[in-house]
Amino acid sequence: MIKIEYLTPASPEERKRYYREEWDIKQVPDFIAHSIQEREFGFDHVGRGPNDRYKVFRNPDLLKRFLKVRTPFAAYCSVAFYDKPRRRDKWTKAELVFDVDAKDIPIRTCECEGVCEICLNEAREIVCGIIDTLKEDLGLKNIHIVYSGRGYHVRVLDDDVTHVNSDVRSQIVKYIVGAEVPENEYSLDYEKVSYEHFVIPFGYPNVFTERVKYSILHLNEHSNLDEVNKKLLKDVLKYRPLIEDNNWGMFKNKIGPLRYKKVVNGIASMNMSLVDAKVSIDLKRILRLPSSLHSMVSMKCTEVKNIETFDPFKEAVPKFVYERK
Amino acid sequence: MVSVAFINPLSDEGEIIVRELGDFGRVLSDNDDLMQIVTGSRSQEISNDSFIPRNYVDLAIKRIEWFVKKKNDRNFDNNQYDFLFNTEILKFDVIAFYLLCQAVGVKYGPNSRESRVMVESQGKLIEYRLEKLSKNVREEVVTNILNSLISSTHIKWTFFEDLISTKKLKLQDLILDQGEIVLDKDDFLERFSHKIHGRKPEKMYEALIGDRIKELVMIKMVMQNTENYILKVGEKSDREIEPNPILLELADKISDVLAASVRSYGIGGSYRGNVKASALNPKAFPPCVKKVMEGMKSGGRNDAIIMFLTPFISYARLYPSVFSENITKQISDIDPSLSIVQNEVLPLIFEAAERCTPPLFEDQPQDKVNLNAKLGFGMHQDPDLKNEGETIWYTPMSCEKVKIHLPSLCKPDENCKKIGNPLSYYNMMIWKVRKEAKTESTTDNKE
Ligand code: SF4
Ligand SMILES: [Zn+2]
């Protein structure tokens, strides 16, 4: 029965209780606490967006005092590092960020209005795929995951990427989400060979295969894919157990090569919505502060230690929710 | 063996050649050695004196001319430029390359059209020069140059950050593994052989990487270095008092070549024919525009109509060549009475707005003001000449921007591969559509 009280807004009283009784400065992850004086902070005091910006804290203790006194509706901190954060001046670097919002992912098996357990879990699965690619392909290691309240932020702090510009970031996004269908014909000296993405077990074609697999396994009869009509969608659903077994060749045969092409084209163009690319290319974005309260849904924004097993309904529900009547 | 400098003038060999030139004044005087090599090139067309460069500066101009005409002139004859592929021209060619970079750097800097053309022409020249080599020689040259450009066998992908940022290389074109770019065959086999089933790993290497990617990477790196060199020259010349008059003159000649190409072949795009402003033809709209024209669901409809569609429709109708001409205009420069705006541009935009659910301007009249602003008429309800210039006339979003800000719009088709902006798609297609219409009507006549 407690379920009904989940995901509803927190009252000002509940906010106060949260920050004064439950919140602890130690819950702010080290990757932020250690660079606190280089970052810009922003706050939303009344629930109309973060318009109290350009805040700076010289040490965690000052941030702690601020939060305990003001108990804001929402708290944010920049992905950017500055020499002079108060004026957002002398930008030095910015985390590389991927924002997966459960509400906005293109294929959801639930039909909820906002977010629910089902789509939050789907967002989590997408995040797992992204992290794999960041590690395996791009060789990135300093990766942090934050549950934002209605999705996830993947925050990368490797020196290799924190200084790159928006153009490079947008290329990274396209690679990570599988936004383009890989070539399937290659010219050799005297012949042409064709390799579909699914026979290439490495590099970008492999990333693409993983994303397509995810999408196909999450389609349902109401899904909307460009150029894919009802009949084709039905066939995809019918034969998709083959893909579960990685039997792609057979799947493509059953569907027919031309129709297969339509399916992967449709998925590729949809993949760009797996993450909010606007966030990834923004070098000065502020993101919800881990440990702070997402007052709209009464959830804690939390650093995730183990994404494989993370369950927001166990680890991100503030105490006051359990005590609601 | 062909010299590395013939492909990469920025190599050590190339620098030695430049140092040997000595006196700068000689670049304008007639050079018999040069003319002899030119006229002695195997397929060189010599029927007209103007085909033959007489000195270094002439040769520099010919390099640019070759590129621009090859791209745009339907009657292009490669034999007029055969000397560019004669390896004997090496020393002259390297000097001509440096002259061009310096002229462009001094006068226009790295972000100019001249610089872009210079960099692209170097890339194309390398491609064609490589094609004329035998397979073995070609492989050897490419490997040599790559080895000199990339010192380690373990290349982090971030080593190519510049190339990726300027879109010379796409991340997807490279094979990445654990943060490194795989180029070498043995390295490839070691990393992936055990994962490949039912296919020959060697063949897969040749297809996915092989000479093709190695050449691609090499060419793009030389292009990037050319761009960086132009930048360096530009920065240095900012600190100097008097640039060399020979360079300034060469710089003027380069823009003359470009200007002439705009006049005679339309614009410097990859398609031919002139793009003049004319009535809109929705058949030639790219998929993204067609999609907005069908109307949008509530999410994102503001941006789709105002940020995306309004600039597109207005430029497609009034100033389709904005990117090639690269001159900022106001709407009234083209449509002084705003009658085209009122009768053709706005109705199309309103039509699309009507088709949205819910219709756009009904529940958000403020959007009309925003729409006006994007046309350059300030924050007002209706376009009025007296307000023009209060805001700027927004140029159409690139495909890149569409994919990021309005990902649901971009449904690329085959033609999208050749362009980077929906407006270029339109310019390219309008020409095709017109041609198709013509052939249709001639067949009609026969019947
Ligand atoms: S590639 Fe460009 S022109 Fe084609 S649909 Fe996408 S945005 Fe439009
Ligand atoms: Zn849901």
Side-chain angles (χ1 to χ4, degrees):
Chain A
M1 272 296 90
I2 196 166
K3 219 170 197 163
I4 314 159
E5 297 298 326
Y6 277 139
L7 300 171
T8 55
S11 69
E13 289 316 309
E14 289 175 326
R15 266 155 52 196
K16 255 188 211 131
R17 277 191 56 199
Y18 176 74
Y19 280 108
R20 297 193 179 153
E21 294 168 19
E22 184 173 355
W23 179 82
D24 184 342
I25 186 73
K26 291 199 194 80
Q27 295 159 355
V28 176
D30 286 350
F31 76 89
I32 291 173
H34 289 167
S35 52
I36 202 163
Q37 69 290 358
E38 289 172 73
R39 301 194 189 237
E40 180 215 1
F41 284 76
F43 300 93
D44 176 356
H45 295 292
V46 286
R48 286 210 209 100
N51 33 32
D52 180 16
R53 289 193 64 172
Y54 299 82
K55 280 269 182 300
V56 178
F57 298 97
R58 265 176 291 121
N59 57 51
D61 205 47
L62 294 169
L63 171 65
K64 174 174 136 188
R65 264 188 246 170
F66 184 91
L67 286 174
K68 296 237 180 221
V69 174
R70 301 292 301 268
T71 63
F73 186 84
Y76 303 82
C77 120
S78 65
V79 299
F81 292 58
Y82 305 91
D83 276 349
K84 297 205 171 73
R86 192 177 300 284
R87 304 211 314 268
R88 289 217 271 166
D89 204 6
K90 303 235 161 60
W91 181 94
T92 54
K93 60 180 181 175
E95 300 168 15
L96 169 67
V97 179
F98 302 91
D99 177 16
V100 181
D101 193 322
K103 178 169 92 320
D104 298 327
I105 52 182
I107 298 185
R108 309 201 303 172
T109 52
C110 65
E111 257 135 55
C112 77
E113 286 287 318
V115 298
C116 67
E117 269 170 275
I118 298 172
C119 50
L120 277 172
N121 189 48
E122 283 163 356
R124 190 189 62 81
E125 289 173 338
I126 292 169
V127 166
C128 289
I130 290 176
I131 290 168
D132 267 352
T133 308
L134 289 172
K135 289 184 179 161
E136 294 302 313
D137 289 40
L138 298 183
L140 299 169
K141 299 186 176 74
N142 195 352
I143 303 172
H144 300 268
I145 304 150
V146 173
Y147 172 70
S148 70
R150 49 204 306 169
Y152 294 88
H153 297 149
V154 178
R155 309 176 63 154
V156 187
L157 284 102
D158 288 73
D159 292 338
D160 277 347
V161 289
T162 47
H163 65 277
V164 303
N165 64 23
S166 299
D167 293 321
V168 176
R169 287 170 199 243
S170 92
Q171 298 265 342
I172 297 175
V173 172
K174 283 197 212 151
Y175 186 99
I176 296 284
V177 301
E180 276 171 34
V181 183
E183 295 291 331
N184 61 0
E185 283 231 325
Y186 301 89
S187 310
L188 297 179
D189 280 346
Y190 305 105
E191 56 174 329
K192 274 207 158 88
V193 286
S194 108
Y195 295 120
E196 279 290 356
H197 61 91
F198 50 78
V199 306
I200 304 172
F202 50 80
Y204 179 68
N206 184 49
V207 175
F208 187 74
T209 304
E210 291 298 321
R211 301 295 175 269
V212 172
K213 180 172 177 178
Y214 175 86
S215 297
I216 290 185
L217 296 183
H218 285 80
L219 287 171
N220 63 29
E221 59 272 32
H222 305 298
S223 303
N224 226 329
L225 276 184
D226 288 307
E227 307 285 319
V228 173
N229 58 26
K230 283 276 166 244
K231 167 89 178 63
L232 178 50
L233 183 62
K234 242 175 115 186
D235 285 350
V236 171
L237 295 177
K238 178 169 164 202
Y239 294 114
R240 77 174 164 193
L242 289 167
I243 288 199
E244 231 158 327
D245 300 336
N246 294 318
N247 202 342
W248 289 84
M250 187 66 94
F251 177 79
K252 184 181 160 193
N253 267 341
K254 292 281 185 201
I255 297 285
L258 285 179
R259 296 167 86 221
Y260 179 78
K261 207 174 163 192
K262 280 190 181 168
V263 174
V264 289
N265 278 339
I267 292 175
S269 75
M270 193 189 63
N271 281 350
M272 206 52 200
S273 314
L274 285 176
V275 304
D276 183 349
K278 286 197 282 299
V279 176
S280 302
I281 62 165
D282 189 341
L283 303 175
K284 298 189 169 176
R285 179 75 51 162
I286 52 174
L287 290 182
R288 204 171 279 282
L289 176 70
S291 80
S292 71
L293 182 69
H294 192 317
S295 300
M296 274 307 281
V297 289
S298 296
M299 281 266 206
K300 286 189 282 186
C301 174
T302 316
E303 181 170 26
V304 175
K305 290 294 175 212
N306 185 349
I307 187 69
E308 299 294 334
T309 58
F310 181 78
D311 177 357
F313 294 93
K314 289 210 182 83
E315 295 168 61
V317 181
K319 289 200 190 94
F320 67 76
V321 170
Y322 296 107
E323 290 154 21
R324 278 175 175 169
K325 283 187 238 48
Chain B
M1 178 66 207
V2 22
S3 163
V4 160
F6 193 54
I7 302 297
N8 179 18
L10 292 160
S11 55
D12 294 348
E13 290 88 331
E15 279 175 22
I16 293 171
I17 293 175
V18 177
R19 239 173 285 140
E20 280 171 355
L21 172 73
D23 183 13
F24 209 77
R26 275 178 48 204
V27 297
L28 274 171
S29 36
D30 279 5
N31 191 313
D32 287 335
D33 293 344
L34 170 65
M35 286 188 270
Q36 211 154 25
I37 295 171
V38 171
T39 46
S41 304
R42 193 146 32 106
S43 325
Q44 179 63 35
E45 176 70 60
I46 49 173
S47 60
N48 186 326
D49 259 2
S50 72
F51 297 156
I52 296 157
R54 307 180 68 84
N55 56 44
Y56 290 100
V57 170
D58 269 4
L59 177 63
I61 296 294
K62 286 281 175 202
R63 263 173 146 260
I64 296 291
E65 225 178 66
W66 169 79
F67 172 70
V68 173
K69 288 198 176 166
K70 181 163 186 55
K71 198 164 161 188
N72 300 314
D73 185 350
R74 238 174 287 194
N75 304 316
F76 175 76
D77 175 8
N78 209 40
N79 288 344
Q80 290 174 14
Y81 298 89
D82 195 53
F83 57 85
L84 288 176
F85 306 93
N86 180 349
T87 50
E88 286 170 45
I89 205 167
L90 173 70
K91 292 199 169 167
F92 300 98
D93 182 70
V94 169
I95 307 273
F97 169 89
Y98 278 88
L99 284 174
L100 285 169
C101 289
Q102 296 197 2
V104 169
V106 166
K107 176 123 190 216
Y108 307 108
N111 298 318
S112 58
R113 192 154 96 94
E114 286 76 8
S115 162
R116 211 179 63 224
V117 169
M118 175 60 208
V119 171
E120 281 177 20
S121 71
Q122 183 58 25
K124 269 283 169 272
L125 211 47
I126 299 177
E127 271 177 43
Y128 282 83
R129 284 178 177 174
L130 287 176
E131 251 166 46
K132 302 216 182 249
L133 303 176
S134 71
K135 185 169 158 55
N136 288 341
V137 176
R138 182 170 172 169
E139 259 180 47
E140 202 181 321
V141 181
V142 173
T143 311
N144 275 344
I145 298 179
L146 267 184
N147 286 345
S148 70
L149 293 175
I150 305 173
S151 44
S152 143
T153 40
H154 294 279
I155 327 154
K156 272 195 184 175
W157 66 270
T158 41
F159 180 78
F160 290 127
E161 191 187 322
D162 282 355
L163 295 175
I164 292 165
S165 165
T166 54
K167 304 193 189 75
K168 290 189 181 76
L169 283 180
K170 282 203 275 178
L171 215 43
Q172 296 105 288
D173 291 339
L174 303 165
I175 297 296
L176 301 176
D177 184 45
Q178 307 294 332
E180 293 179 353
I181 290 170
V182 185
L183 280 182
D184 180 69
K185 187 166 177 177
D186 293 334
D187 186 27
F188 174 91
L189 295 176
E190 201 169 300
R191 287 177 197 252
F192 302 130
S193 287
H194 66 280
K195 292 188 182 173
I196 301 172
H197 304 291
R199 303 270 185 314
K200 282 204 198 84
E202 288 81 5
K203 199 164 174 184
M204 211 175 235
Y205 168 80
E206 293 304 335
L208 273 94
I209 304 173
D211 297 339
R212 181 176 61 93
I213 294 293
K214 282 191 190 164
E215 268 179 25
L216 181 76
V217 168
M218 184 276 281
I219 294 175
K220 301 296 178 182
M221 284 183 82
V222 175
M223 287 169 74
Q224 188 65 48
N225 291 346
T226 305
E227 200 173 308
N228 296 349
Y229 179 63
I230 293 174
L231 170 73
K232 214 171 74 191
V233 171
E235 284 172 353
K236 207 171 130 223
S237 79
D238 286 344
R239 295 192 297 270
E240 275 169 11
I241 331 124
E242 271 298 301
N244 188 315
I246 297 177
L247 292 178
L248 290 180
E249 204 175 307
L250 174 57
D252 286 338
K253 285 187 181 160
I254 295 169
S255 24
D256 287 346
V257 172
L258 301 191
S261 92
V262 171
R263 274 196 305 275
S264 41
Y265 320 115
I267 62 157
S270 52
Y271 44 89
R272 287 138 186 183
N274 225 327
V275 237
K276 282 206 230 77
S278 58
L280 287 167
N281 185 343
K283 274 199 192 127
F285 286 166
C288 45
V289 174
K290 284 188 179 147
K291 180 137 192 192
V292 183
M293 290 305 299
E294 285 163 14
M296 302 280 297
K297 302 268 157 51
S298 56
R301 73 203 156 103
N302 290 35
D303 284 358
I305 301 283
I306 290 165
M307 305 264 292
F308 172 73
L309 188 69
T310 300
F312 175 86
I313 295 286
S314 54
Y315 274 93
R317 173 61 187 90
L318 296 165
Y319 187 15
S321 56
V322 50
F323 294 121
S324 54
E325 285 187 35
N326 208 359
I327 301 166
T328 312
K329 291 188 184 172
Q330 296 192 337
I331 287 193
S332 64
D333 293 338
I334 305 145
D335 182 17
S337 66
L338 303 188
S339 61
I340 304 178
V341 171
Q342 296 288 6
N343 300 325
E344 297 179 48
V345 173
L346 290 179
L348 262 185
I349 299 169
F350 288 147
E351 211 179 288
E354 267 301 298
R355 287 204 193 104
C356 292
T357 32
L360 183 60
F361 296 118
E362 267 173 33
D363 61 332
Q364 304 200 13
Q366 174 61 23
D367 284 335
K368 257 197 173 153
V369 174
N370 293 337
L371 184 156
N372 252 308
K374 296 287 175 277
L375 294 173
F377 295 104
M379 303 298 285
H380 303 278
Q381 273 287 333
D382 295 296
D384 190 333
L385 282 173
K386 73 171 194 283
N387 303 324
E388 189 171 30
E390 283 178 20
T391 47
I392 60 158
W393 184 17
Y394 261 59
T395 49
M397 279 186 181
S398 63
C399 297
E400 189 81 10
K401 283 237 172 71
V402 176
K403 288 186 174 88
I404 286 168
H405 294 278
L406 295 157
S408 66
L409 288 188
C410 175
K411 307 292 168 203
D413 62 15
E414 278 305 302
N415 297 304
C416 290
K417 286 192 185 140
K418 303 184 201 117
I419 49 94
N421 189 296
L423 186 61
S424 328
Y425 183 109
Y426 180 72
N427 289 336
M428 172 176 78
M429 286 308 280
I430 194 130
W431 186 74
K432 274 198 192 172
V433 169
R434 229 177 265 153
K435 213 176 73 180
E436 275 163 24
K438 253 186 222 147
T439 42
E440 261 168 39
S441 62
T442 41
T443 35
D444 280 354
N445 289 343
K446 270 186 226 152
E447 283 167 28

